[in-house]
Amino acid sequence: MKNIRWFAFLFLFLLAFQGESQAASSSAHIQLDGKDIGAAKGAQIQEVKGNVLVPLRLIVEELGYKVNWEAKTGTVTIKNQNKNQNLSLQVNNPIATVNGQQMGLAVAPLLTGGTTYVPLRFVSEQTGLGVTWNNELKTVLLTTPSTSSGKSESSRGSSATQTAANAEESTGAVISQISFTNHQLTIAVNGKVTPKVTTLTNADRIVADIPDAKLSNDFLSSQPLDRGGQGAFSVTDDPDVTQVRYSIFSTSPASVRIVIDLNSSTSYHVQNADDGKVVIALDQKSDETAPTPTEPVTSTSPAEPTIASNGHAQGIDVSHYNGSIDWQQVAASGKTFAFIKATEGTKYQDNQFLVNVQGARDANILVGAYHFLNATTVDGARQEAANFARAIESAGGRLDLPLVMDYENNPKGISTVQINEVAHAFLDEVKRLTGRQPIVYTGNVFASKFDPTFSVYKLWVARYSTTQKPTAVPAWNSWWAWQYSSTGSVPGINGAVDLDEYNGTIDELRASLAAELE
């Protein structure tokens, strides 16, 4: 219990600073494991820009750790003698030291009246202590983790103590991409992971802890962390989500935390088929009933879309996350076209691109390729287009289907005008380098970011539903292809796969491709 408490307290003190100005005191109670420890000591709760802050002094005194205060430098040193662990923080300094190793803080420690305060929201996310705020009773409820079980979905402390007992540290999985589109969070990972997903309130959010995992170098170069070891991107095109945050939650053991900040409490379900993608899909009231968040499930194959009866051509889109594919089985299942990931960014080429292209060709499946766009500037977009063109050339040049710009989210928060400039720069450069008119892939909501000048490009749109068709947006009132599921099941592919439908029959698709050559 002491060891768990130490880790919980250490990270509570280290990582939980949301704001530091305009603090206002308010009367409130603090309870630790049901014992009122606030009223007896005359403690006050602080509120900073809407955040409730908890005084650390009480927790320090209750847990009994040694604390040294150097008034001259404003430095607090905390020591756990039993574990030989030292933590040093300085008021108004965003850098802390843990056992001699520097760690950045998002906000420097807040000192008011000789007391250091920690925001309640961050405490509830980052520590092994259970922390809740009862607004009706104006009480902070603190609970230490149970020792009866070595596992806790929200406990960093228990994870750390478990790993300390292991002789060897797992090499772990590598997260290469985090994106939010079409009402779902997608985590691309190289390796098998078992995410622990929970919901928290005040404010509402979904927290996904990925143990034995780290962020890839490519990811960190394109979406770097701040000095506090955290990153975030805004979500402007979803009614339920404001932003997605991610952090290196622990380095020993390796662990990544991803947080979906919600506008209000929203149910979800988890899809994890060990296929290189973990999906946290927010449930939509307009669609079929989905599993509740208390029972995460691995998704099974969805029903075919209602318009499939029209005889529309069916296809898939894949990347290296889908592993080794038996393309003959895919063809035998009735899939007649496939889009294959070729590139991302300015240098990356999918290591299964050429294998997948050849396999699909051998199975007489129409082949296309897509590039996942990360650029935030016109020059960056042109460089990414050059990377895409090089990959197409390595595959023998012209492919059957149009080349695709995959532009589906806005992690850097650039403006709508900039989004349009970047997209046009990429599309124009692809056409210049390859001689072919590309098409646009995006989500049904993100598609509204594109102005009417993009109507000259065909639209491949994602909307995950078996009943809700894609809706019209300013640039497009019809779609060329529809990605209707990210959790399909297709013979020849292990795990979930994206399912697509062309807006016409296979004969009509072949005829349109032939006309393009004339």
Side-chain angles (χ1 to χ4, degrees):
M1 173 69 76
K2 276 289 186 182
N3 193 38
I4 291 177
R5 283 186 174 190
W6 163 248
F7 276 103
F9 169 66
L10 182 148
F11 286 105
L12 178 152
F13 196 45
L14 173 64
L15 296 174
F17 302 99
Q18 297 283 342
E20 58 181 329
S21 61
Q22 303 300 317
S25 298
S26 63
S27 298
H29 295 282
I30 305 174
Q31 291 185 355
L32 175 62
D33 294 330
K35 177 185 175 182
D36 194 333
I37 65 173
K41 299 179 183 296
Q44 293 288 316
I45 299 298
Q46 295 287 332
E47 294 186 16
V48 178
K49 298 179 180 179
N51 293 299
V52 177
L53 290 90
V54 182
L56 283 174
R57 175 174 55 84
L58 295 175
I59 302 172
V60 171
E61 291 174 358
E62 287 297 318
L63 295 180
Y65 297 114
K66 183 178 179 180
V67 178
N68 294 323
W69 166 252
E70 297 179 11
K72 186 175 181 180
T73 60
T75 301
V76 177
T77 303
I78 301 169
K79 185 175 183 180
N80 180 340
Q81 293 176 324
N82 293 333
K83 296 298 180 181
N84 194 29
Q85 292 164 316
N86 292 276
L87 171 65
S88 178
L89 300 96
Q90 187 175 38
V91 172
N92 298 325
N93 186 347
I95 302 295
T97 303
V98 181
N99 286 345
Q101 180 179 0
Q102 287 190 333
M103 298 183 66
L105 301 172
V107 180
L110 169 64
L111 179 63
T112 300
T115 301
T116 304
Y117 290 85
V118 177
L120 176 62
R121 169 177 174 175
F122 207 88
V123 170
S124 63
E125 276 182 23
Q126 302 289 357
T127 76
L129 289 176
V131 185
T132 56
W133 167 252
N134 188 313
N135 190 55
E136 182 178 353
L137 299 177
K138 300 298 181 184
T139 301
V140 178
L141 305 175
L142 307 175
T143 56
T144 54
S146 171
T147 58
S148 61
S149 171
K151 299 179 179 180
S152 171
E153 287 187 339
S154 61
S155 173
R156 182 175 181 169
S158 60
S159 174
T161 55
Q162 292 164 14
T163 305
N166 296 334
E168 295 182 8
E169 183 176 333
S170 171
T171 55
V174 178
I175 295 173
S176 60
Q177 184 176 308
I178 302 171
S179 61
F180 192 95
T181 186
N182 303 317
H183 215 49
Q184 66 179 30
L185 178 79
T186 300
I187 306 165
V189 58
N190 181 14
K192 184 176 181 180
V193 295
T194 304
K196 299 175 182 178
V197 185
T198 57
T199 55
L200 294 172
T201 58
N202 191 29
D204 293 302
R205 57 209 181 278
I206 298 171
V207 179
D209 286 327
I210 317 292
D212 297 321
K214 65 179 183 179
L215 299 171
S216 72
N217 291 334
D218 286 343
F219 177 90
L220 292 174
S221 65
S222 63
Q223 296 175 243
L225 305 178
D226 61 19
R227 294 176 64 189
Q230 300 182 54
F233 58 85
S234 60
V235 178
T236 58
D237 50 9
D238 191 286
D240 297 322
V241 178
T242 59
Q243 69 173 347
V244 173
R245 293 178 284 133
Y246 49 88
S247 63
I248 300 174
F249 189 44
S250 173
T251 56
S252 180
S255 178
V256 173
R257 166 164 285 189
I258 303 170
V259 180
I260 306 172
D261 287 325
L262 305 170
N263 290 315
S264 60
S265 178
T266 304
S267 62
Y268 67 91
H269 58 284
V270 179
Q271 303 156 359
N272 182 21
D274 294 328
D275 60 347
K277 276 198 303 189
V278 176
V279 175
I280 302 175
L282 307 190
D283 298 333
Q284 301 187 52
K285 296 179 181 179
S286 60
D287 287 342
E288 293 82 351
T289 301
T292 65
T294 56
E295 298 178 313
V297 299
T298 298
S299 177
T300 57
S301 175
E304 290 293 301
T306 55
I307 63 170
S309 58
N310 294 339
H312 289 176
Q314 299 295 311
I316 59 174
D317 58 275
V318 299
S319 71
H320 72 274
Y321 298 117
N322 297 102
S324 180
I325 298 174
D326 186 331
W327 287 98
Q328 298 297 330
Q329 288 193 47
V330 172
S333 72
K335 305 306 178 187
T336 55
F337 68 91
F339 283 101
I340 299 168
K341 182 174 183 178
T343 48
E344 178 175 344
T346 59
K347 297 180 180 179
Y348 176 78
Q349 179 173 319
D350 192 289
N351 59 22
Q352 289 293 304
F353 173 57
L354 297 179
V355 173
N356 281 332
V357 168
Q358 189 59 52
R361 281 171 168 165
D362 292 345
N364 199 31
I365 292 175
L366 296 174
V367 179
Y370 69 91
H371 172 92
F372 189 93
L373 188 66
N374 291 323
T376 57
T377 65
V378 167
D379 184 61
R382 290 171 180 154
Q383 292 181 44
E384 292 196 27
N387 183 33
F388 190 28
R390 287 192 298 268
I392 301 306
E393 186 65 25
S394 71
R398 187 182 183 91
L399 302 177
D400 304 308
L401 300 172
L403 302 177
V404 182
M405 176 188 71
D406 179 345
Y407 198 179
E408 58 187 79
N409 60 7
N410 183 19
K412 298 296 181 64
I414 64 176
S415 68
T416 300
V417 171
Q418 290 172 308
I419 287 173
N420 284 267
E421 291 174 346
V422 166
H424 269 306
F426 179 86
L427 294 167
D428 291 345
E429 187 69 359
V430 167
K431 184 175 182 180
R432 186 184 73 83
L433 294 172
T434 67
R436 296 194 69 183
Q437 176 87 334
I439 69 173
V440 175
Y441 167 89
T442 192
N444 201 169
V445 176
F446 197 78
S448 62
K449 300 287 186 183
F450 297 95
D451 65 42
T453 62
F454 287 88
S455 61
V456 297
Y457 300 99
K458 295 173 181 176
L459 174 66
W460 171 23
V461 62
R463 183 174 190 180
Y464 301 144
S465 172
T466 59
T467 59
Q468 302 293 318
K469 298 180 183 181
T471 55
V473 291
W476 298 281
N477 56 20
S478 64
W479 46 271
W480 182 81
W482 173 23
Q483 185 187 75
Y484 58 86
S485 175
S486 64
T487 58
S489 178
V490 175
I493 301 178
N494 292 324
V497 63
D498 295 338
L499 301 179
D500 302 282
E501 176 162 316
Y502 171 69
N503 197 5
T505 66
I506 183 57
D507 290 337
E508 290 170 335
L509 175 57
R510 291 185 186 278
S512 68
L513 296 174
E516 185 183 341
L517 294 173
E518 295 178 356

